[in-house]
Amino acid sequence: MARHPALIAFEGIDGSGKSSVLRGLLERLRARGGDPLTLREPGGTPLGERVRGLLLDAELRRAPAAELLLFQAARAELVAEVIRPALAAGRTVISDRFCDSTRAYQGSGLGLPRETVEAAIHAATDGLEPGLVILLDVTPELGLNRSDSRGRRDAIEERAEAFLGRVREGYLELARENPEHWLVFDGARPLEELIDEVAALVVERLG
Ligand code: TYD
């Protein structure tokens, strides 16, 4: 496993607020003259956006292993074509989700065996891992309420609260296992407060 200090991932269950915090962080980094590359998973490349369409289509049935591998297909393309070249050019890369989404959703959520999940992730990333993971932790109830009020639940969000509870526990376990690389925030806190705190910590980590 190779953790890259300039690769930062935002993680959290659906409705955790990570996209809003990420937007606020970017504004702050840009105001300081930073020029990070930002991405979202699944997606971020022509192939990845098409795979994203398959993954978020509520009508389409997918076996768990098929879902695992589709996420990795999108990720493999993104890592090879976008993330590695940007890191090699010295840019900071901030991704809305990365490989820990797979560990939490397909591993803890769907219950696929850990070795299977790790092997699939490794095939996609060749061991590249974020130097910093920012986890916005919310209860499934709060996450689902926020998704509902936005009026959009995709295929993955349709799953029961119990599923998101397992995903959340998976994330918290990963954070406990990797304390030097994970920062956990209470996603129920006011947005501006969260953005200020996350931005300060990211600026400190990036030096
Ligand atoms: P998206 O609309 O991007 O949701 P969010 O705004 O919450 O990030 O949908 C991505 C969905 O895909 C989300 O439910 C999490 C799920 N997902 C996985 O199950 N495994 C993965 O490896 C990734 C990257 C995402």
Side-chain angles (χ1 to χ4, degrees):
M1 183 189 285
R3 290 204 178 263
H4 198 297
L7 176 59
I8 300 175
F10 271 69
E11 296 286 355
I13 64 170
D14 310 80
S16 60
K18 73 189 156 45
S19 305
S20 310
V21 174
L22 184 48
R23 260 197 308 279
L25 168 66
L26 287 175
E27 276 169 23
R28 297 226 191 344
L29 291 179
R30 290 191 179 123
R32 298 171 54 95
D35 180 30
L37 177 67
T38 60
L39 308 162
R40 69 164 181 188
E41 275 215 326
T45 64
L47 177 80
E49 290 296 330
R50 285 169 77 170
V51 172
R52 178 185 178 86
L54 297 175
L55 281 163
L56 300 187
D57 181 348
E59 305 289 301
L60 203 58
R61 288 178 58 87
R62 293 172 297 268
E67 182 175 302
L68 171 71
L69 295 171
L70 282 170
F71 277 114
Q72 307 325 303
R75 178 167 299 140
E77 187 71 11
L78 188 67
V79 168
E81 296 301 319
V82 181
I83 298 182
R84 285 202 187 271
L87 291 173
R91 280 185 89 179
T92 296
V93 178
I94 305 183
S95 188
D96 189 342
R97 301 193 178 283
F98 196 53
C99 42
D100 294 299
S101 281
T102 300
R103 294 187 173 103
Y105 280 80
Q106 282 68 49
S108 304
L110 287 182
L112 284 167
R114 192 161 184 153
E115 318 76 70
T116 305
V117 169
E118 290 303 327
I121 291 173
H122 197 273
T125 63
D126 198 25
L128 177 67
E129 299 274 336
L132 179 62
V133 182
I134 292 170
L135 173 62
L136 293 180
D137 180 50
V138 295
T139 61
E141 295 87 325
L142 177 58
L144 284 169
N145 280 338
R146 284 180 177 168
S147 298
D148 283 344
S149 64
R150 284 195 307 235
R152 53 161 209 121
R153 274 199 188 192
D154 59 38
I156 287 167
E157 289 168 346
E158 277 301 323
R159 285 176 188 149
E161 216 168 287
F163 173 81
L164 287 181
R166 292 196 297 278
V167 174
R168 179 190 187 201
E169 284 309 314
Y171 274 133
L172 291 172
E173 197 177 316
L174 287 164
R176 281 193 294 272
E177 285 170 7
N178 301 283
E180 67 282 27
H181 295 288
W182 283 62
L183 295 173
V184 184
F185 295 88
D186 176 357
R189 288 170 49 201
L191 185 60
E192 285 303 311
E193 209 180 289
L194 270 173
I195 293 171
D196 286 342
E197 208 171 297
V198 169
L201 284 161
V202 168
V203 166
E204 187 187 308
R205 286 280 183 124
L206 290 176

